[in-house]
Amino acid sequence: MFTNTISRPQRTLPLDLFAAIENLKKELNAVILAHYYQDPDIQDIADFIGDSLQLARAAAQTNADVIVFAGVHFMAETAKILNPDKLVLLPDLDAGCSLADSCPADQFAAFKAAHPDHLVISYINCSAEIKAMSDIICTSSNAVKIVEQIPQHQQIIFAPDRNLGRYVMQQTGRDMVLWQGSCIVHETFSERKIVELKTTHPQAEAIAHPECETSILRHANYIGSTAALLNYSQHSPSQEFIVATEPGIIHQMQKLAPNKQFIPAPPENNCNCNECPFMRLNTLEKLYLSMKNRTPEITMSEEIRRAALKPMQRMLEMSV
Ligand code: 13P
Ligand code: SF4
C-alpha cells in the first residue's frame, strides 16, 4: 500500500475561521499578538492588541509556546529576539516595513563608523541587524523619555525615522544626527486636506503619530504613539477627531468610544495610501493557515539575536 510520509501544507479553509483559530490557539498553546493597524477581524480575535512597546512587553512576558504575530516583520523579529525558544509565526513573511527597509545594515554600519563617538538610539521599526548595531532601542511611546535620560554631553545618532527623530529633538532640545529614513504611510497625509477638515469640522481635534512630517504635526492638537492616541481620544471631552495615522486604529477608537466620530486624515492623492500595505497583507485566512501549518516562522542567527537583545533590554529597563 502506498503511504505518503510527506505532510503537505494545508490550503483549505474551515467555514468558521474564528472557531478554528480559537481551537488552534488551545492546541498549540499559542498567543495572538496584534498591532492596532491590523484588519478589524484580526484585532477581534487577538489575545492582546497594542502599540510596539506594549507588544514587545507582552512578548517578553508571555507563557505561550507559540507567538502568532499579527503585525509586520520587525515586530515578529522583536518577539523572537526576546523568545529564542518559542515558535514565532508571521502570517505573511512579506509583511515588511518601508521605514525598516530605508535603513540597510551595510549602509548603516558605514554611517555609524563615520560617527564613532555617538551613542546609537534606534527606533524599534528596524531590522534585527540594525538593532544589533544599536545601543538602545526606543518606540514612539518612549523615545522622548529615553533621550531625556542620556547625559547632555553624549552625542547621539537616531535611526531610522527622521520624522520621529526631528520630533524628539524638538521635545528634548537635544541635537541628534538623524538617519534619513521614513514611513510611506505617515508621509502621505495632505496638510491642505487636514486644514480643510479643521475648517469644516471646527470642533474636531487633530491627533497625529510622530512618524508624520512636521507640516502635519504642526496642526495636531495631540501627538503620540498609537496607544497614546487611542487613550487620548477616549479621555478627551471632544466628540470629533481627525486621525493622522494608519486608520486601522480607528476600529479600537470606535469600539471604546462608540458615540464619537473619527475622521481618517486623507492622503494627498485619492488613494488608499494611508493604509499600511505591509500590515494589511495579514488576513484572517493567512493567520489560520500559519497556525495550522506552523509556518512561516521567524528565524535569525543566535549571534545577531544576542546582540539585538542587549539594546532591547536597555529600552525595557529605561521605560518602566
Ligand atoms: P507605534 O509605536 O505607535 O506602535 O507605531 C508603530 C508603527 O509602525 C507606526 O507606523
Ligand atoms: Fe512601517 Fe509605516 Fe507600516 Fe508602520 S505604518 S509598519 S512604519 S510602513
Side-chain angles (χ1 to χ4, degrees):
M1 193 179 79
F2 174 74
T3 52
N4 186 355
T5 52
I6 302 168
S7 64
R8 291 171 194 281
Q10 181 171 325
R11 302 252 176 266
T12 51
L13 295 169
L15 279 179
D16 187 345
L17 272 178
F18 279 92
I21 290 170
E22 289 297 346
N23 286 339
L24 280 169
K25 264 196 225 173
K26 289 188 200 109
E27 197 183 302
L28 300 175
N29 185 26
V31 66
I32 301 178
L33 306 182
H35 190 267
Y36 289 121
Y37 295 164
Q38 292 290 282
D39 277 340
D41 278 350
I42 295 183
Q43 293 189 36
D44 289 345
I45 200 147
D47 297 293
F48 184 85
I49 319 168
D51 70 1
S52 303
L53 180 61
Q54 293 169 327
L55 289 167
R57 285 209 178 106
Q61 287 161 7
T62 184
N63 292 322
D65 296 318
V66 177
I67 298 174
V68 188
F69 214 108
V72 289
H73 193 270
F74 77 81
M75 295 178 174
E77 223 175 32
T78 301
K80 186 68 182 178
I81 291 166
L82 295 162
N83 293 284
D85 300 328
K86 294 190 198 293
L87 175 64
V88 178
L89 300 170
L90 180 65
D92 190 323
L93 264 194
D94 289 333
C97 167
S98 65
L99 184 48
D101 289 349
S102 67
C103 193
D106 54 342
Q107 291 174 31
F108 189 68
F111 183 74
K112 189 182 155 178
H115 300 87
D117 300 329
H118 289 56
L119 183 88
V120 178
I121 302 183
S122 295
Y123 185 33
I124 199 165
N125 296 36
C126 64
S127 66
E129 285 79 7
I130 301 297
K131 288 187 176 74
M133 284 186 251
S134 306
D135 296 297
I136 311 171
I137 301 301
C138 70
T139 75
S140 61
S141 57
N142 61 19
V144 169
K145 193 174 172 179
I146 284 180
V147 170
E148 278 172 342
Q149 291 174 62
I150 308 302
Q152 282 293 335
H153 68 269
Q154 175 64 60
Q155 293 175 295
I156 302 171
I157 288 178
F158 189 91
D161 188 17
R162 62 180 173 203
N163 293 318
L164 177 64
R166 229 181 271 126
Y167 172 72
V168 172
M169 280 168 58
Q170 192 204 337
Q171 293 297 303
T172 60
R174 293 292 290 264
D175 197 18
M176 302 193 291
V177 178
L178 303 182
W179 179 266
Q180 293 299 313
S182 63
C183 158
I184 49 167
V185 177
H186 288 85
E187 287 204 335
T188 200
F189 298 118
S190 161
E191 180 183 10
R192 180 180 57 83
K193 290 184 184 174
I194 290 175
V195 171
E196 272 170 24
L197 274 172
K198 286 192 91 168
T199 313
T200 49
H201 296 75
Q203 306 301 329
E205 283 193 273
I207 57 176
H209 195 280
E211 281 178 26
C212 294
E213 292 175 290
T214 311
S215 58
I216 301 299
L217 295 182
R218 69 166 157 250
H219 299 288
N221 301 86
Y222 180 77
I223 298 167
S225 75
T226 45
L229 297 180
L230 178 63
N231 185 48
Y232 183 81
S233 69
Q234 270 184 84
H235 294 104
S236 159
S238 298
Q239 294 301 306
E240 269 186 300
F241 299 88
I242 300 160
V243 183
T245 191
E246 216 274 4
I249 183 78
I250 292 179
H251 181 58
Q252 290 304 319
M253 288 177 169
Q254 202 74 78
K255 264 177 121 172
L256 295 171
N259 297 323
K260 293 189 177 184
Q261 202 198 339
F262 299 97
I263 308 163
E268 192 53 58
N269 303 315
N270 292 327
C271 58
N272 287 340
C273 19
N274 56 347
E275 287 187 1
C276 175
F278 308 104
M279 286 278 181
R280 303 297 176 132
L281 282 177
N282 292 326
T283 60
L284 210 54
E285 289 79 6
K286 289 181 198 170
L287 187 81
Y288 165 78
L289 290 172
S290 70
M291 293 174 81
K292 187 75 196 163
N293 298 318
R294 295 158 178 67
T295 186
E297 179 187 357
I298 300 292
T299 57
M300 75 194 67
S301 80
E302 186 54 14
E303 192 189 342
I304 294 283
R305 192 196 69 79
R306 277 175 192 269
L309 181 62
K310 274 194 210 151
M312 280 294 305
Q313 283 172 331
R314 277 194 85 183
M315 171 186 85
L316 294 171
E317 287 156 17
M318 290 174 83
S319 54
V320 280

